[in-house]
PDB file of all heavy atoms in Angstrom:
ATOM      1  N   MET A 354     -31.313  30.091  32.707  1.00 94.00           N
ATOM      2  CA  MET A 354     -32.003  30.498  31.413  1.00 94.00           C
ATOM      3  C   MET A 354     -33.532  30.294  31.526  1.00 94.00           C
ATOM      4  O   MET A 354     -34.234  31.124  31.084  1.00 94.00           O
ATOM      5  CB  MET A 354     -31.428  29.772  30.291  1.00 94.00           C
ATOM      6  CG  MET A 354     -30.069  30.382  29.849  1.00 94.00           C
ATOM      7  SD  MET A 354     -29.161  29.307  28.742  1.00 94.00           S
ATOM      8  CE  MET A 354     -29.969  29.421  27.272  1.00 94.00           C
ATOM      9  N   VAL A 355     -33.868  29.238  32.144  1.00 92.00           N
ATOM     10  CA  VAL A 355     -35.282  28.999  32.408  1.00 92.00           C
ATOM     11  C   VAL A 355     -35.886  30.064  33.310  1.00 92.00           C
ATOM     12  O   VAL A 355     -36.895  30.643  33.071  1.00 92.00           O
ATOM     13  CB  VAL A 355     -35.490  27.553  33.072  1.00 92.00           C
ATOM     14  CG1 VAL A 355     -36.994  27.366  33.486  1.00 92.00           C
ATOM     15  CG2 VAL A 355     -35.103  26.479  32.095  1.00 92.00           C
ATOM     16  N   GLU A 356     -35.110  30.469  34.318  1.00 83.00           N
ATOM     17  CA  GLU A 356     -35.608  31.548  35.230  1.00 83.00           C
ATOM     18  C   GLU A 356     -35.846  32.838  34.441  1.00 83.00           C
ATOM     19  O   GLU A 356     -36.842  33.486  34.571  1.00 83.00           O
ATOM     20  CB  GLU A 356     -34.515  31.826  36.296  1.00 83.00           C
ATOM     21  CG  GLU A 356     -34.597  30.966  37.487  1.00 83.00           C
ATOM     22  CD  GLU A 356     -36.085  30.887  38.086  1.00 83.00           C
ATOM     23  OE1 GLU A 356     -36.594  31.955  38.412  1.00 83.00           O
ATOM     24  OE2 GLU A 356     -36.633  29.770  38.063  1.00 83.00           O
ATOM     25  N   THR A 357     -34.902  33.132  33.622  1.00 84.00           N
ATOM     26  CA  THR A 357     -34.882  34.363  32.780  1.00 84.00           C
ATOM     27  C   THR A 357     -36.200  34.310  31.892  1.00 84.00           C
ATOM     28  O   THR A 357     -36.876  35.326  31.771  1.00 84.00           O
ATOM     29  CB  THR A 357     -33.700  34.523  31.921  1.00 84.00           C
ATOM     30  OG1 THR A 357     -32.523  34.376  32.812  1.00 84.00           O
ATOM     31  CG2 THR A 357     -33.624  35.892  31.294  1.00 84.00           C
ATOM     32  N   GLU A 358     -36.415  33.194  31.326  1.00 80.00           N
ATOM     33  CA  GLU A 358     -37.614  32.987  30.453  1.00 80.00           C
ATOM     34  C   GLU A 358     -38.913  33.354  31.249  1.00 80.00           C
ATOM     35  O   GLU A 358     -39.694  34.077  30.816  1.00 80.00           O
ATOM     36  CB  GLU A 358     -37.668  31.486  29.982  1.00 80.00           C
ATOM     37  CG  GLU A 358     -37.077  31.198  28.702  1.00 80.00           C
ATOM     38  CD  GLU A 358     -37.646  32.065  27.556  1.00 80.00           C
ATOM     39  OE1 GLU A 358     -38.833  31.976  27.259  1.00 80.00           O
ATOM     40  OE2 GLU A 358     -36.860  32.923  26.970  1.00 80.00           O
ATOM     41  N   LYS A 359     -38.935  32.719  32.398  1.00 83.00           N
ATOM     42  CA  LYS A 359     -40.142  32.965  33.256  1.00 83.00           C
ATOM     43  C   LYS A 359     -40.368  34.405  33.517  1.00 83.00           C
ATOM     44  O   LYS A 359     -41.405  34.928  33.402  1.00 83.00           O
ATOM     45  CB  LYS A 359     -39.946  32.226  34.618  1.00 83.00           C
ATOM     46  CG  LYS A 359     -40.429  30.786  34.628  1.00 83.00           C
ATOM     47  CD  LYS A 359     -40.331  30.213  36.023  1.00 83.00           C
ATOM     48  CE  LYS A 359     -40.431  28.697  35.988  1.00 83.00           C
ATOM     49  NZ  LYS A 359     -39.876  28.131  37.245  1.00 83.00           N
ATOM     50  N   LYS A 360     -39.223  35.112  33.846  1.00 82.00           N
ATOM     51  CA  LYS A 360     -39.381  36.564  34.206  1.00 82.00           C
ATOM     52  C   LYS A 360     -39.931  37.307  32.980  1.00 82.00           C
ATOM     53  O   LYS A 360     -40.805  38.211  33.082  1.00 82.00           O
ATOM     54  CB  LYS A 360     -38.001  37.135  34.608  1.00 82.00           C
ATOM     55  CG  LYS A 360     -37.748  37.022  36.065  1.00 82.00           C
ATOM     56  CD  LYS A 360     -36.454  37.579  36.457  1.00 82.00           C
ATOM     57  CE  LYS A 360     -35.942  37.028  37.799  1.00 82.00           C
ATOM     58  NZ  LYS A 360     -34.482  37.120  37.873  1.00 82.00           N
ATOM     59  N   ILE A 361     -39.412  36.985  31.816  1.00 84.00           N
ATOM     60  CA  ILE A 361     -39.810  37.654  30.635  1.00 84.00           C
ATOM     61  C   ILE A 361     -41.294  37.434  30.380  1.00 84.00           C
ATOM     62  O   ILE A 361     -42.029  38.305  30.169  1.00 84.00           O
ATOM     63  CB  ILE A 361     -38.934  37.157  29.386  1.00 84.00           C
ATOM     64  CG1 ILE A 361     -37.511  37.735  29.451  1.00 84.00           C
ATOM     65  CG2 ILE A 361     -39.659  37.566  28.051  1.00 84.00           C
ATOM     66  CD1 ILE A 361     -36.558  37.102  28.526  1.00 84.00           C
ATOM     67  N   LYS A 362     -41.682  36.201  30.530  1.00 79.00           N
ATOM     68  CA  LYS A 362     -43.063  35.828  30.292  1.00 79.00           C
ATOM     69  C   LYS A 362     -43.971  36.655  31.329  1.00 79.00           C
ATOM     70  O   LYS A 362     -45.034  37.132  31.017  1.00 79.00           O
ATOM     71  CB  LYS A 362     -43.290  34.280  30.598  1.00 79.00           C
ATOM     72  CG  LYS A 362     -42.847  33.484  29.453  1.00 79.00           C
ATOM     73  CD  LYS A 362     -43.981  32.661  28.816  1.00 79.00           C
ATOM     74  CE  LYS A 362     -43.644  32.086  27.436  1.00 79.00           C
ATOM     75  NZ  LYS A 362     -43.064  30.749  27.578  1.00 79.00           N
ATOM     76  N   GLY A 363     -43.439  36.761  32.551  1.00 79.00           N
ATOM     77  CA  GLY A 363     -44.177  37.495  33.603  1.00 79.00           C
ATOM     78  C   GLY A 363     -44.427  38.954  33.266  1.00 79.00           C
ATOM     79  O   GLY A 363     -45.427  39.559  33.701  1.00 79.00           O
TER      80      GLY A 363
END
Side-chain angles (χ1 to χ4, degrees):
Chain A
M354 283 163 73
V355 171
E356 273 313 299
T357 310
E358 267 305 296
K359 271 187 198 161
K360 272 184 203 155
I361 288 165
K362 285 240 165 91

